[in-house]
Amino acid sequence: MTQDERLAFLVEAYRQETGRGEEIPVPLAAEGRRRLLRALMNVRPPRPLTPKVAAVEAAYLAERTREKGVVRPEDIPTIRTALGNGGPFADRLSLWRGDITRLAADAVVNAANEEMLGCFIPLHSCIDNAIHSAAGTALRLECARQMEALRRCRGPSYVQPTAVPLITGACALPARAVIHIVGPIVRGALTPAHEETLAACYRNVLSLCNRRGLRTVAFCCLSTGVFRFPRRRAAAIAVRTVTDWLANHSGAMDRVIFDVFTEEDEICYEKTLRTC
C-alpha cells in the first residue's frame, strides 16, 4: 500500500467501526483526511484491532514518523553548548523546543490524567493527545490493560495517584518507552503542597528510569497547561529537582531533555538553565 492508500483504508475502517460511518464525511484534501483519522483514533475506546488494521496502522504511523524526522538525544545540544552553562550537569541537560513524539530517547514523559487512557477530545492540543495520536491505538490499549490489572488488585474505583508514574511501551513512537504521570492541578492559589508534588513527579520519573536502565529521558512541561501550574515556577522546580536528583545519583543518566512547545516555556527554562 502507498501512504495515501493506508490513510484511506484506516479512515474507512475507523468510520465503519463507529457504527455511523455514513454520517461522517471524508474530506477531499489529504490533510483533512489525516485530521479525521486522528480524531477517530482519539475517540476510539481501548480495544484490540484486527490484525490487518493493526498492521496498516503500524505502517502508516511508521511512515508519518519518517516524514516528521526522528531526533536523537545526541542531536540536541547540551546546555553547555547552547547556553554557555559551565555547571556540573551542563553536559547532561538539554533544552529543546520541538515535537516530543519525534524523540528517540529511551523514555518520553506524558502529562496524563488519572484515568491513564489518553485524551478523548478529538484533535485536542494537549501533550497527552499528541503522544497517543503518534503512538497509535495500541498505546491506549496497553494503558487500559495495566489499569485493569491495578483495579483487580486495588479495587474497581482505582485511578492513578498524582506523581506515581506508569510505564508502557512506546508503540509507534521512536522512543523506547512512555512514562505517564499525573501532575498536580492548581485550583486557586499555588501552595507548597503543589510545588512538592510537582517535584515528586520529576524525582519519581527519574528513579523509575534508573530502575529500568533508561538513560535518556525527555520531560514535557508537567502541569502547566490545563492543570494551571504557573510556568516560570514550574520550570524552576523542574530544573532544581532534576539537578538535585543527578547530584545524588552519580552517573545514572546520560541525558535529561526539557522539551518545550511554546516560546514562553522556552524563555522560562532558558533563564533557569543558564545558572543551574
Side-chain angles (χ1 to χ4, degrees), residues 16-242:
Q16 296 307 317
E17 194 181 52
T18 67
R20 52 183 185 85
E22 301 309 316
E23 301 173 19
I24 304 173
V26 179
L28 294 176
E31 181 57 29
R33 293 197 299 274
R34 284 192 288 266
R35 286 174 60 83
L36 174 57
L37 176 59
R38 177 172 174 170
L40 290 168
M41 291 169 66
N42 292 161
V43 301
R44 187 179 187 273
R47 57 183 177 231
L49 295 170
T50 67
K52 182 174 182 179
V53 175
V56 174
E57 184 190 282
Y60 172 80
L61 293 173
E63 179 60 18
R64 289 291 290 158
T65 295
R66 190 196 66 78
E67 291 169 352
K68 290 187 295 183
V70 172
V71 178
R72 293 171 176 78
E74 56 268 27
D75 300 330
I76 301 172
T78 65
I79 61 170
R80 182 184 302 280
T81 300
L83 303 178
N85 184 301
F89 309 112
D91 293 320
R92 284 191 277 168
L93 298 176
S94 291
L95 173 63
W96 188 64
R97 184 179 173 190
D99 180 356
I100 200 170
T101 69
R102 296 173 58 199
L103 287 175
D106 288 343
V108 294
V109 179
N110 178 30
N113 60 57
E114 64 183 9
E115 297 294 333
M116 288 279 148
L117 297 181
C119 172
F120 282 85
I121 302 172
L123 305 175
H124 195 246
S125 61
C126 70
I127 192 70
D128 200 12
N129 188 293
I131 285 176
H132 275 266
S133 296
T137 57
L139 183 59
R140 179 169 285 166
L141 182 59
E142 184 176 349
C143 289
R145 285 171 172 161
Q146 289 205 36
M147 291 299 288
E148 287 169 8
L150 288 166
R151 289 188 179 114
R152 285 195 295 271
C153 296
R154 303 180 187 182
S157 61
Y158 176 84
V159 292
Q160 193 73 359
T162 305
V164 177
L166 182 146
I167 187 168
T168 66
C171 301
L173 296 175
R176 287 175 54 196
V178 179
I179 298 176
H180 312 259
I181 196 157
V182 184
I185 300 173
V186 179
R187 298 184 177 93
L190 185 69
T191 68
H194 291 133
E195 295 185 339
E196 173 51 33
T197 303
L198 184 63
C201 290
Y202 287 91
R203 283 195 302 269
N204 293 344
V205 166
L206 289 168
S207 294
L208 177 58
C209 287
N210 194 26
R211 293 196 299 273
R212 295 295 186 97
L214 303 171
R215 299 190 60 84
T216 59
V217 61
F219 283 100
C220 63
C221 298
L222 297 174
S223 285
T224 58
V226 295
F227 284 13
R228 298 184 295 278
F229 205 108
R231 294 176 187 275
R232 183 176 299 179
R233 186 65 187 133
I237 291 169
V239 171
R240 184 197 70 220
T241 305
V242 168

